[in-house]
């Protein structure tokens, strides 16, 4: 699939088909990527974008896709760019005239798109889930109803086999859906009522009815031949059967505000809650209440994280929102190191999720600096790479090229080829 839209020479490249890559774990099988760049060094191209946005790019063959709100969400669009030049090939979308709440720092279309090489699926929240082919023709559009939350949305759709799995939330209509990827037909749904906890143990302590909700992207894993959809929700981590939507297992202890998404590696799930909330490691594949099977559990983190972890060598590495990097031993929850990340720009804070290349971690901060760290139990900074434009997005990596979405532009970053003009 996808050969018809792929230029000669790109078929061997690893695609980056969804947010956080081919396995939704922030890793790539490739090894050769630039570790240093700036706004005028190791830049293949930079293409200006019409408005700010927090979603991340995806890559398939010679195409780059991003979601983009226009006129503050009155138009919700998918943009397709030529990989070689950064030229906009097409921009298609849907109109939505109603008022949709959002946080001032979270523009509409915050969910990243997903592709299987034949179709590209984008979640436009209250405006529906829409699929396009690679030429920009709309294939289907499915209305999942209103998605209302004071902070907007952030959960990205996932393609797993013949299904599109999408969390339509947070808010009062929060639901986990499975759609047919070819037609958009609804296959199953699980309403996820958001219940306020009896006690807040996050940053809303003392506010029994404070803000709640999950912005997490579902994760599909295969365990002992069984495909599970993993989703941290208000107060719980849950696992569902991909084929039917039946709940397989759940574990107590997620905090009432969940920002980050689960990561799976080496048979273990690592889940960091978000707003000064919980963190846990647990093995999927269980049945019923598996709360007692957590490998480690931290009820109230001292730090706040939006990004999702990467895992290497039995350690989870994550970027904390206030500009710290952290290494946690998965078997015990022990914090091996927690260090302030260097920054060139005004804000060292980060909303982005780290990506992992061999033993290197790339983290984008809100100033648009990409900090490159060693993925080791000993803290080591390799480089700090500024482009001078703010960003809340996660990098996409493919065939030696790094794609960065800032609030102003889409960038392609790569080491200069021998003799290549700059």
């Amino acid at each position: 699939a996808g050969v018809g839209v792929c230029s000669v020479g790109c078929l061997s490249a690893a695609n980056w088909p969804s947010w956080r890559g081919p396995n939704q774990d922030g890793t790539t099988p490739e090894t050769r990527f630039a570790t240093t760049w700036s706004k005028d060094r190791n830049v293949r191209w930079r293409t200006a974008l019409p408005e700010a946005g927090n979603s991340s790019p995806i890559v398939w063959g010679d195409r780059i896709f991003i979601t983009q709100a226009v006129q503050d969400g009155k138009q919700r669009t998918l943009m397709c760019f030529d990989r070689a030049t950064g030229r906009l090939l097409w921009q298609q979308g849907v109109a939505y005239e109603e008022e949709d709440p959002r946080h001032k720092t979270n523009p509409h279309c915050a969910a990243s798109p997903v592709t299987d090489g034949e179709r590209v699926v984008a979640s436009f929240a209250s405006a529906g889930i829409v699929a396009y082919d690679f030429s920009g023709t709309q294939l289907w559009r499915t209305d999942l109803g209103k998605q209302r939350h004071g902070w907007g949305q952030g959960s990205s759709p996932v393609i797993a086999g013949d299904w599109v799995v999408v969390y339509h939330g947070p808010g009062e209509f929060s639901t986990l859906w499975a759609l047919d990827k070819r037609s958009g037909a609804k296959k199953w749904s699980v309403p996820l009522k958001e219940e306020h906890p009896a006690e807040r143990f996050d940053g809303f302590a003392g506010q029994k009815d404070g803000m709640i909700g999950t912005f997490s992207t579902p994760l599909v894993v295969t365990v002992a031949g069984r495909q599970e959809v993993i989703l941290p929700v208000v107060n719980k981590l849950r696992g569902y059967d991909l084929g039917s939507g039946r709940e397989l297992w759940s574990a107590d202890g997620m905090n009432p505000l969940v920002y980050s998404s689960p990561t799976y590696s080496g048979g273990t799930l690592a889940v960091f809650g978000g707003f000064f909330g919980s963190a846990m490691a647990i093995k999927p594949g269980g049945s019923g209440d598996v709360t007692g099977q957590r490998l480690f559990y931290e009820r109230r983190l001292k730090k706040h994280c939006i990004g999702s972890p990467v895992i290497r060598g039995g350690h989870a590495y994550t970027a904390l929102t206030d500009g710290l990097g952290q290494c946690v031993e998965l078997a015990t929850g022990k914090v091996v190191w927690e260090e302030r990340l260097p920054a060139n720009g005004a804000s060292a804070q980060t909303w982005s999720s780290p990506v992992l290349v061999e033993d290197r971690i790339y983290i984008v901060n809100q100033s648009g600096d990409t900090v490159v760290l060693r993925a080791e139990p000993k803290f080591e900074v390799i480089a700090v790479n500024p482009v001078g434009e703010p960003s809340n997005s996660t990098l996409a990596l493919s065939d030696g090229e790094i794609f960065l979405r800032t609030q102003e532009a889409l960038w392609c970053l790569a080491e200069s080829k021998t003799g290549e003009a700059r």
Side-chain angles (χ1 to χ4, degrees):
V3 174
V5 298
C6 198
S7 62
V8 176
C10 76
L11 294 179
S12 61
N15 294 310
W16 193 268
S18 63
W19 180 65
R20 304 189 70 219
N23 299 313
Q24 291 183 261
D25 60 1
T27 69
T28 171
E30 298 182 59
T31 60
R32 295 188 61 185
F33 293 93
T35 55
T36 58
W37 62 84
S38 64
K39 61 183 178 181
D40 52 12
R41 177 169 173 259
N42 284 341
V43 177
R44 288 272 161 88
W45 48 258
R46 174 192 178 277
T47 299
L49 296 175
E51 293 182 24
N54 290 344
S55 67
S56 302
I58 62 168
V59 184
W60 190 283
D62 56 5
R63 299 286 187 268
I64 315 297
F65 302 94
I66 62 166
T67 53
Q68 175 72 61
V70 183
Q71 297 173 308
D72 191 22
K74 300 299 185 188
Q75 293 286 330
R76 304 186 184 189
T77 73
L78 180 71
M79 302 177 78
C80 174
F81 300 87
D82 177 71
R83 177 187 188 134
T85 64
R87 181 172 63 91
L88 177 65
L89 299 176
W90 51 262
Q91 182 174 11
Q92 298 290 342
V94 298
Y96 191 78
E97 291 297 330
E98 294 183 49
E99 288 298 320
D100 244 357
R102 68 173 181 88
H103 196 275
K104 62 182 180 181
T105 59
N106 187 33
H108 294 293
C109 297
S112 303
V114 63
T115 184
D116 61 359
E118 295 182 4
R119 58 194 58 76
V120 188
V121 180
S123 169
F124 294 142
S126 296
I129 311 299
V130 190
Y132 300 90
D133 67 16
F134 272 48
S135 65
T137 301
Q138 182 178 305
L139 301 175
W140 51 261
R141 177 181 177 184
T142 300
D143 183 3
L144 301 182
K146 297 285 191 288
Q147 190 273 301
R148 302 245 188 244
H149 189 279
W151 294 350
Q153 62 131 198
S155 181
S156 299
V158 175
I159 294 177
D162 293 331
W163 309 108
V164 173
V165 179
V166 59
Y167 170 64
H168 190 66
E172 61 180 310
F173 308 114
S174 291
T175 303
L176 181 66
W177 289 90
L179 312 177
D180 185 299
K181 73 175 184 180
R182 293 176 177 84
S183 67
K186 298 171 181 176
K187 292 301 183 181
W188 55 257
S189 63
V190 180
L192 294 171
K193 181 175 173 57
E194 298 173 340
E195 297 181 356
H196 287 273
E199 176 191 2
R200 294 301 294 256
F201 53 87
D202 57 8
F204 282 89
Q207 299 182 34
K208 182 178 178 182
D209 294 326
M211 190 72 79
I212 61 173
T214 181
F215 298 83
S216 180
T217 292
L219 171 68
V220 179
V221 302
T222 301
V223 184
R226 186 174 81 179
Q227 287 188 290
E228 301 184 2
V229 181
I230 315 297
L231 184 66
V233 297
V234 175
N235 307 322
K236 288 182 182 288
L237 178 65
R238 298 185 183 274
Y240 299 91
D241 176 67
L242 175 63
S244 66
R246 178 175 62 90
E247 183 174 304
L248 300 169
W249 57 265
S250 69
D252 290 337
M254 294 310 300
N255 54 303
L257 267 174
V258 184
Y259 298 147
S260 71
S261 299
T263 302
Y264 183 61
S265 179
T268 299
L269 287 164
V271 193
F272 290 77
F275 204 88
F276 300 101
S278 53
M280 72 172 79
I282 196 168
K283 293 186 179 297
S287 179
D289 186 348
V290 297
T291 304
Q293 299 173 29
R294 299 178 301 202
L295 302 180
F296 85 82
Y297 174 60
E298 176 68 40
R299 187 163 188 252
R300 178 173 178 175
L301 299 179
K302 298 179 179 64
K303 300 294 191 299
H304 170 204
C305 65
I306 290 177
S308 307
V310 291
I311 297 173
R312 180 175 184 265
H315 294 85
Y317 298 87
T318 194
L320 304 173
T321 308
D322 55 3
L324 299 171
Q326 191 180 73
C327 170
V328 176
E329 187 177 65
L330 275 181
T332 64
K334 174 188 174 187
V335 177
V336 179
W337 54 255
E338 183 179 283
E339 300 284 348
R340 182 154 297 282
L341 302 178
N344 280 29
S347 175
Q349 293 198 358
T350 179
W351 283 19
S352 130
S353 293
V355 295
L356 179 68
V357 179
E358 286 189 307
D359 66 343
R360 307 189 304 278
I361 300 170
Y362 293 67
I363 300 170
V364 182
N365 69 21
Q366 289 192 321
S367 293
D369 304 334
T370 301
V371 182
V372 186
L373 305 176
R374 195 72 68 190
E376 295 287 353
K378 185 176 185 296
F379 180 70
E380 178 190 345
V381 176
I382 298 171
V384 184
N385 304 306
V387 296
E389 297 174 3
S391 177
N392 282 326
S393 302
T394 296
L395 299 174
L397 310 175
S398 173
D399 197 23
E401 295 176 330
I402 297 172
F403 299 92
L404 166 66
R405 192 243 178 95
T406 68
Q407 301 289 338
E408 299 172 22
L410 182 64
W411 296 70
C412 177
L413 307 160
E415 291 180 344
S416 300
K417 296 175 183 176
T418 304
E420 187 176 22
R422 274 291 173 271

